[in-house]
Amino acid sequence: MLDIRLFREKPDYVKERLATRGGDFAALVDEVLSIDKDRRAAETENQKLQSDRNRISKEIGFAKKQGNDTSAIEAEVRGIGDRIAQLGKEAEALDVKQRELMLGIPNLPHEACPIGHSAEENPEVRVWGEKPEYAFTPKDHTVLGAEHGLFDFEAGAKITGSAFVVYRGLGAKLERALINFLLDLHTTEHGYTEVGVPFLVKADSLVGTSQLPKFEDQLYRCDRDELYLAPTAEVPVTNLHREEIVKLEQLPIQYAAYTPCFRREAGSAGLGTRGLIRMHQFDKIELVKITTPEASMEELEKLTANAEKVLQKLGLHYRVIELCTGDIGFGSAKTYDIEVWAPGQNGYLEVSSCSSFGDYQARRMNLRFKDEKGKNTFCHTLNGSGTALARLYVALLETYQQADGTIKIPDALKPYFGKEVIG
RNA sequence: GGAGAGGUGGCUGAGUGGUCGAAAGCGACGGUUUGCUAAAUCGUUGUAGGAUGUAAAGUCUUACCGAGGGUUCGAAUCCCUCCCUCUCCGCCA
């Protein structure tokens, strides 16, 4: 959520920054300001009446103690009470409306975020490694998976539906090996604390990290218990500190978590036609940081480097791109995407998206710290995949396939997988 | 799922209708004193809004005692609903 005071003080700046995302937010900003003005007027009047009532009620208390008759004055206050109730309702309605609108307004892109209209304008930041060369035509991971019996889409479809998969045998073990390898890497080399969190979350948590109210369609919901399946560990992990005032010495807080992620992918064309690349359920290691405003940009660089380390250790070619203002996510102020090369796809796959949200999420979830002067200040929140598993799995199979049809396991993973080769 | 107990400020913990935003203690911060890994003493110490005003401050005011609703001139206190925690029982990986 954005700061309403910024709207009041610099409405043109807010409109201008929002416009870089594409679309016209000017009317919406004006509407919010208009409601804000009415809301404050109603509140001010209401508070004046409340003040009157408090004063007179005290007088009644005194009078009664002295045994005086107070029925006349009580009747008068009763009238004030009615007006307070009415004005209170008006102010409440305006407040609800204002909050609703504010929750639907995306974050302002950071000044450092490149201006652009769409994904085509995302600048490439750096490239690591090179596209591997093969003396044969590299196979798609679905072919490799079928040949070695690693995973089974038909079984997934039978027990749940399309775009769900069952891993089997070494295929299942490879997934587990990756999870352990990644968690160990981030906790022992990068200073993150591992957390195991619930996969089901309440609506408040989703509002906090800005999946709700705007992206309800993308979420699996359990109506009976008013819970949602987490679409990313960002939700339960960042919300660990919702409604808290953390100590300055605690920052930066750094968490790493493994969770499955559940996404309805409503409106996605071609879902299920590309193997493991886009699934309704996939595993992910998520990195979350909570920092001071001063440190957040530097921490974003570190976070991205931590995610890149995964691909470096596994010897996978990748590139880092920076998302332009027209392509960054709803709550993000600045985002790097890491894309790994998948030879069987002859293309790059997004395996990590590392973002700084500034204080946007922190405002939504009321997450603050006490600064040097003892003032409560909103934290900055960041997160990034470190990394998504299914696509990493795809890149791994496709990159390390051999002419004889076997698949090599990179050195870093061998201790976790227990074998040097599949097949 | 059943029975009981309970949720008050950073913590402990008083407070059952009116000068209660809330005693006391602890902690923290500041001062004084003494002096040595400390004690004594005095003071300060919640959050979020609104109005006014500003260089900053200040002043006035509202709300908040788990959440929401109700009764009342007036609610931490009475009533209702819900949430959470603890203990015991049941069930269970």
Side-chain angles (χ1 to χ4, degrees), chain A residues 218 264-272 278:
Chain A
Q218 299 300 328
R264 290 186 68 236
E265 302 289 357
S268 290
L271 182 70
R278 188 179 289 273

Side-chain angles (χ1 to χ4, degrees), chain A residues 69-375:
Chain A
D69 175 58
T70 55
S71 53
I73 197 168
E74 279 181 33
E76 182 194 332
V77 181
R78 211 168 286 141
I80 296 179
D82 293 343
R83 286 174 63 204
I84 288 174
Q86 190 194 336
L87 261 175
K89 272 180 192 163
E90 283 174 28
E92 170 74 12
L94 288 166
D95 188 62
V96 167
K97 180 68 181 167
Q98 181 175 336
R99 181 173 167 78
E100 186 186 311
L101 290 176
M102 290 298 280
L103 286 176
I105 297 175
N107 198 3
L108 302 186
H110 193 270
E111 303 281 358
C113 187
I115 304 287
H117 296 94
S118 67
E120 282 75 52
E121 295 175 50
N122 293 338
E124 186 175 274
V125 177
R126 58 185 163 268
V127 175
W128 188 89
E130 289 174 1
K131 292 176 188 172
E133 302 275 344
Y134 299 90
F136 55 94
T137 305
K139 296 171 189 165
D140 185 277
H141 69 282
T142 55
V143 175
L144 295 165
E147 285 176 1
H148 296 285
L150 303 178
F151 44 83
D152 183 344
F153 290 103
E154 286 178 21
K158 178 160 75 180
I159 58 177
T160 304
S162 67
F164 286 89
V165 71
V166 172
Y167 291 97
R168 281 183 191 282
L170 287 179
K173 187 166 185 183
L174 179 59
E175 182 81 357
R176 178 159 57 88
L178 283 168
I179 290 167
N180 288 331
F181 166 61
L182 297 182
L183 281 174
D184 282 351
L185 172 65
H186 295 307
T187 54
T188 62
E189 293 188 26
H190 299 153
Y192 292 81
T193 301
E194 182 175 347
V195 285
V197 291
F199 305 155
L200 289 160
V201 293
K202 60 168 91 171
D204 284 348
S205 296
L206 289 155
V207 170
T209 37
S210 69
Q211 283 77 17
L212 283 179
K214 185 128 186 178
F215 304 106
E216 168 102 39
D217 286 356
Q218 299 300 328
L219 299 166
Y220 287 102
R221 191 178 63 210
C222 309
D223 281 332
R224 184 181 167 122
D225 298 291
E226 295 181 72
L227 293 170
Y228 296 79
L229 274 71
T232 159
E234 166 192 352
V235 181
V237 176
T238 313
N239 274 284
L240 281 171
H241 295 284
R242 177 157 48 88
E243 305 281 351
E244 285 187 10
I245 300 173
V246 297
K247 292 194 174 71
L248 182 59
E249 309 88 78
Q250 288 177 265
L251 303 178
I253 292 170
Q254 308 197 115
Y255 292 126
Y258 154 73
T259 69
C261 302
F262 303 92
R263 300 186 182 177
R264 290 186 68 236
E265 302 289 357
S268 290
L271 182 70
T273 60
R274 286 180 295 167
L276 292 169
I277 291 167
R278 188 179 289 273
M279 310 281 293
H280 286 309
Q281 176 185 327
F282 63 95
D283 291 328
K284 182 157 62 67
I285 307 300
E286 186 75 0
L287 305 175
V288 170
K289 286 187 192 239
I290 297 170
T291 75
T292 60
E294 294 73 28
S296 73
M297 277 300 133
E298 187 188 337
E299 293 294 340
L300 176 61
E301 299 299 324
K302 286 191 199 166
L303 177 68
T304 308
N306 295 153
E308 285 177 60
K309 194 75 180 175
V310 168
L311 303 178
Q312 292 170 12
K313 290 244 179 195
L314 293 175
L316 297 170
H317 165 57
Y318 69 86
R319 66 178 185 182
V320 178
I321 60 171
E322 186 170 0
L323 300 195
C324 70
T325 54
D327 197 32
I328 55 169
F330 186 78
S332 172
K334 183 176 165 71
T335 298
Y336 292 111
D337 273 6
I338 302 173
E339 300 182 335
V340 68
W341 179 253
Q345 311 301 308
N346 194 34
Y348 289 99
L349 298 175
E350 181 189 327
V351 285
S352 178
S353 193
C354 303
S355 302
S356 169
F357 295 82
D359 63 6
Y360 187 83
Q361 291 182 329
R363 281 180 188 282
R364 284 176 164 248
M365 65 175 74
N366 202 20
L367 163 55
R368 295 168 295 173
F369 71 100
K370 268 199 194 303
D371 69 15
E372 297 86 346
K373 293 175 185 166
K375 188 164 179 276

Side-chain angles (χ1 to χ4, degrees), chain A residues 58-72:
Chain A
K58 274 185 185 172
E59 286 170 10
I60 292 173
F62 284 122
K64 282 205 166 175
K65 264 185 188 162
Q66 288 164 10
N68 298 334
D69 175 58
T70 55
S71 53

